[in-house]
């Protein structure tokens, strides 16, 4: 794996303990990058999957996480609030990276919402709009802010967390798949249009990953299929040839590779991290 010493990374959706954003922050810091971790840092009830698994993460918890990364790896890490649907907050988060560290070399668009999960004929306009605004427009918004900075600095890497739902549409995932297909298209467009600026854009496509969001997804599958949570989990795992779920760190290690010079000729690719679930 290539060295990221002195590089600056911004990660969205990094407020969830045990999530892919925090795992990626740890791997990038371990490789020597200075990291800005960001997330909502407030509650948005309309984005909750249920009463247990909301998306309103605590800024103080993120700040402690950043402090711990600084102590552990000897790099500089900071935390900042970021609702990816808010242009002012997006600009402020990017400004944190440039004001604290002087550049932005790596953007991991990890923030996402599963409000778009549900049967096609049952989903509301609000579910479609929220899914689009968070997953697709959030990725577009942060990327548009990062591209000029990266181009001025001779290049950079944008990594989009797409999920396998952006590669294959599945029954019961309605607006979620549509929004993630949009992210897949954005990934390839940026790679095509800004390769000349030294910018690589790649997509990482996790399958079933054992995180807090997977717990909520298990409940959604149970509701959709009319089965118990345990039966839903068994159903999800039965689709994976390796026979088990992935971990947040499985995704994070791929993100760290894609961000590194070792992947310097990888751009426009959509890389499944799914235990061969789609094959």
């Amino acid at each position: 794996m290539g060295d990221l010493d002195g590089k600056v990374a911004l990660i969205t959706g990094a407020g969830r303990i045990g999530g892919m954003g925090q795992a990626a922050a740890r791997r990038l810091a371990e490789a020597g990058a200075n990291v800005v971790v960001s997330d909502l840092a407030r509650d948005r009830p309309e984005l909750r999957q249920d009463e247990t698994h909301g998306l309103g993460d605590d800024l103080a918890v993120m700040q402690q996480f950043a402090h711990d990364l600084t102590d552990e790896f000897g790099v500089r890490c900071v935390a900042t609030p970021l609702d990816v649907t808010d242009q002012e907050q997006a600009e402020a988060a990017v400004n944190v990276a440039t004001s604290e560290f002087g550049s932005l070399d790596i953007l991991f668009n990890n923030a996402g919402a599963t409000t778009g999960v549900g049967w096609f004929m049952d989903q509301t306009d609000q579910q479609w709009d929220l899914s689009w605004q968070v997953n697709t427009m959030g990725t577009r918004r942060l990327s548009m802010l990062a591209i000029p900075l990266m181009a001025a600095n001779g290049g950079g890497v944008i990594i989009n967390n797409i999920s396998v739902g952006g590669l294959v549409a599945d029954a019961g995932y309605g607006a979620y798949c549509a929004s993630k297909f949009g992210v897949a298209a954005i990934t390839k467009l940026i790679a095509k249009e800004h390769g000349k600026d030294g910018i690589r854009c790649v997509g990482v496509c996790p399958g079933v990953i054992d995180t807090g969001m997977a717990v909520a997804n298990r409940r959604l599958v149970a509701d959709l299929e009319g089965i118990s949570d345990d039966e839903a989990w068994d159903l999800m795992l039965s689709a994976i040839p390796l026979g088990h779920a992935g971990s947040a760190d499985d995704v994070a290690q791929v993100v760290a590779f894609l961000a590194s010079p070792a992947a310097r000729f990888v751009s426009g690719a959509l890389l499944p991290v799914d235990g061969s679930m789609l094959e």
Side-chain angles (χ1 to χ4, degrees):
M1 187 173 295
D3 191 2
L4 297 179
D5 282 352
K7 297 297 184 182
V8 178
L10 169 61
I11 303 175
T12 69
R16 186 181 293 274
I17 295 173
M20 288 179 274
Q22 289 203 352
R26 178 172 293 279
R27 285 293 178 181
L28 294 176
E30 181 183 40
N34 299 310
V35 182
V36 179
V37 295
S38 67
D39 212 322
L40 280 173
R42 66 184 179 90
D43 191 22
R44 286 189 65 179
E46 71 274 24
L47 289 176
R48 286 190 199 144
Q49 293 146 320
D50 56 39
E51 290 301 316
T52 305
H53 297 88
L55 298 179
D57 298 288
D58 191 320
L59 180 58
V61 173
M62 280 198 291
Q63 290 171 331
Q64 184 61 52
F65 174 70
H67 177 77
D68 291 344
L69 288 184
T70 298
D71 284 350
E72 184 174 356
F73 298 113
V75 297
R76 292 182 60 207
C77 299
V78 298
T80 190
L82 174 56
D83 180 341
V84 298
T85 69
D86 186 310
Q87 181 68 25
E88 290 186 2
Q89 286 196 24
E91 292 173 1
V94 171
N95 287 338
V96 167
T98 56
S99 63
E100 289 285 336
F101 305 119
S103 67
L104 178 58
D105 305 294
I106 301 160
L107 170 63
F108 181 30
N109 282 311
N110 175 65
T114 57
T115 54
V117 173
W119 297 112
F120 180 79
M121 293 298 290
D122 294 338
Q123 290 188 300
T124 66
D125 287 353
Q126 183 189 39
Q127 286 176 287
W128 275 84
D129 186 58
L130 278 172
S131 191
W132 178 259
Q133 290 301 324
V134 175
N135 297 336
T136 315
M137 295 302 289
T139 297
R140 172 185 177 269
R141 179 171 289 108
L142 269 297
S143 297
M144 289 185 71
L145 292 169
I147 286 169
L149 297 172
M150 292 179 176
N153 199 37
V157 186
I158 298 173
I159 303 168
N160 296 326
N161 193 340
I162 297 173
S163 101
V164 293
L167 299 176
V168 176
D170 199 6
Y173 284 83
Y176 178 79
C177 282
S179 68
K180 288 297 190 176
F181 267 67
V183 180
I186 288 171
T187 301
K188 290 186 174 292
L189 284 169
I190 292 173
K192 290 283 189 181
E193 294 183 7
H194 293 283
K196 67 181 185 300
D197 298 315
I199 296 171
R200 294 189 294 111
C201 189
V202 289
V204 60
C205 304
V208 179
I209 307 298
D210 194 4
T211 64
M213 188 170 283
V215 174
N217 285 340
R218 183 188 318 181
R219 293 178 180 174
L220 288 166
V221 170
D223 289 342
L224 290 170
E225 300 292 337
I227 56 181
S228 70
D229 285 4
D230 288 343
E231 289 172 328
W233 187 242
D234 289 341
L235 180 63
M236 292 163 70
L237 295 184
S238 70
I240 305 170
L242 287 181
H244 62 84
S247 70
D249 190 57
D250 289 330
V251 179
Q253 292 198 60
V254 174
V255 170
F257 164 71
L258 292 172
S260 76
R264 68 187 185 93
F265 203 54
V266 179
S267 190
L270 309 178
L271 181 61
V273 186
D274 68 347
S276 197
M277 184 172 69
L278 295 186
E279 298 303 323

